[in-house]
Amino acid sequence: ARPDLTLVEAMVQAGGVRNVSIRGSPYDFRYAPSSAYSGTWLDKMTSLIEDTYEINNKTKVTILSHSMGCLYGLWFLNQKNDEWKSKYILRWIPTAGVFAGAGSGIKQLLSGDVAFVPIPGLTGLTLREEQRSYESSMLLLPSPQVWGDTPLIYTPSNMYSSYDFEILFEKSGFTHGFERYQLIGNLTANLPPPGVDTVHLYGINKDTRTAFRYASDDSFDEEPEPIYGNGDDTVPLLSLQSAGRMWNNNN
């Protein structure tokens, strides 16, 4: 396929048919998969796959997910039993899966993050309250199951890891942050295997924001200095590789 084609256009050129063998499941990125479409996304996705299977002469379906969509995909597959997956799913192809969260996940809750909102004059603090309201922000935090005590936040006197979210939320004035995190954060963080043939595609060797250094011990109302590590420019390598290390091809 030519590099200037979109993914769907490339699939069409390869013989796919829009809304027959190529179909999509959009979602509102602010919500967790359990509450998307007022809690009906699971049923909608199930119907989409079953219908796609039928209109393609009972051909098993390949699911392609990207970034946070990989968390949606994993959560979805974990809700379905082995009999259903064996009948309907050929394979799952997560791409650039943010399986164990990202450094930017903690920054947006402490100080707001405009890295993916390129509007002149917009600051992190302007977006912080909005980003704190997203359920998805809790899913994108670096998960303790993978990151453990790896430092994520540095201040002049302290280092904070994924075990310290309660302290960080309190210091940054995010009053109910930890309570919300406990309700949502573990939907996929334990990385239960999907139970289907899985091929995860991701990029490496791009400078990726992995941790942050603040100038103050007591205030996060500032733009911190990013600390870069390996990754795909958005998701750190540790997160990208976490699912493969945990599943080890035993789906």
Side-chain angles (χ1 to χ4, degrees):
R2 300 200 326 258
D4 59 323
L5 293 178
T6 68
L7 177 63
V8 172
E9 288 170 342
M11 287 179 173
V12 169
Q13 283 207 352
V17 179
R18 292 175 186 270
N19 205 33
V20 178
S21 57
I22 306 171
R23 311 183 85 185
S25 176
Y27 60 90
D28 188 327
F29 75 94
R30 296 172 298 179
Y31 289 97
S34 55
S35 58
Y37 290 99
S38 300
T40 66
W41 181 75
L42 175 62
D43 292 337
K44 288 179 181 293
M45 185 66 173
T46 299
S47 296
L48 178 66
I49 288 173
E50 292 177 354
D51 184 52
T52 303
Y53 170 88
E54 293 294 339
I55 65 176
N56 288 278
N57 299 313
K58 300 187 185 301
T59 302
K60 289 186 179 183
V61 173
T62 293
I63 302 174
L64 175 64
S65 309
H66 177 252
S67 192
M68 195 179 79
C70 298
L71 300 183
Y72 268 69
L74 178 59
W75 181 84
F76 172 78
L77 290 168
N78 288 154
Q79 310 310 304
K80 311 306 291 185
N81 62 42
D82 289 340
E83 181 181 3
W84 187 92
K85 288 184 282 194
S86 178
K87 177 177 180 178
Y88 290 106
I89 304 300
L90 177 64
R91 68 176 62 87
W92 179 37
I93 306 177
T95 61
V98 58
F99 284 115
S104 56
I106 183 60
K107 180 186 182 294
Q108 69 178 356
L109 294 177
L110 297 182
S111 310
D113 191 26
V114 298
F116 307 109
V117 191
I119 299 176
L122 194 65
T123 67
L125 288 181
T126 305
L127 282 182
R128 182 171 65 180
E129 290 306 311
E130 178 184 336
Q131 290 174 330
R132 285 177 172 178
S133 73
Y134 299 165
E135 290 180 332
S136 58
S137 295
M138 300 301 170
L139 297 178
L140 298 177
L141 283 168
S143 64
Q145 292 90 332
V146 171
W147 290 84
D149 59 4
T150 302
L152 297 168
I153 299 296
Y154 295 83
T155 70
S157 302
N158 295 291
M159 295 184 300
Y160 300 94
S161 73
S162 61
Y163 295 137
D164 298 315
F165 291 149
E166 185 171 14
I167 297 171
L168 289 169
F169 292 161
E170 181 179 344
K171 281 180 169 290
S172 65
F174 190 13
T175 310
H176 302 297
F178 193 68
E179 180 181 356
R180 295 188 63 221
Y181 168 68
Q182 289 178 305
L183 291 172
I184 300 168
N186 279 328
L187 281 181
T188 57
N190 290 318
L191 296 179
V196 299
D197 181 39
T198 300
V199 180
H200 184 204
L201 306 177
Y202 57 88
I204 61 172
N205 296 330
K206 294 287 187 178
D207 287 339
T208 303
R209 297 181 302 164
T210 303
F212 298 88
R213 189 181 307 278
Y214 286 85
S216 170
D217 281 318
D218 300 312
S219 174
F220 296 100
D221 295 346
E222 62 181 61
E223 189 65 23
E225 173 193 354
I227 299 172
Y228 293 93
N230 197 348
D232 67 359
D233 186 44
T234 302
V235 184
L237 187 62
L238 185 64
S239 182
L240 292 167
Q241 293 183 336
S242 59
R245 286 198 306 270
M246 188 161 298
W247 299 338
N248 194 27
N249 296 319
N250 294 317
N251 294 317

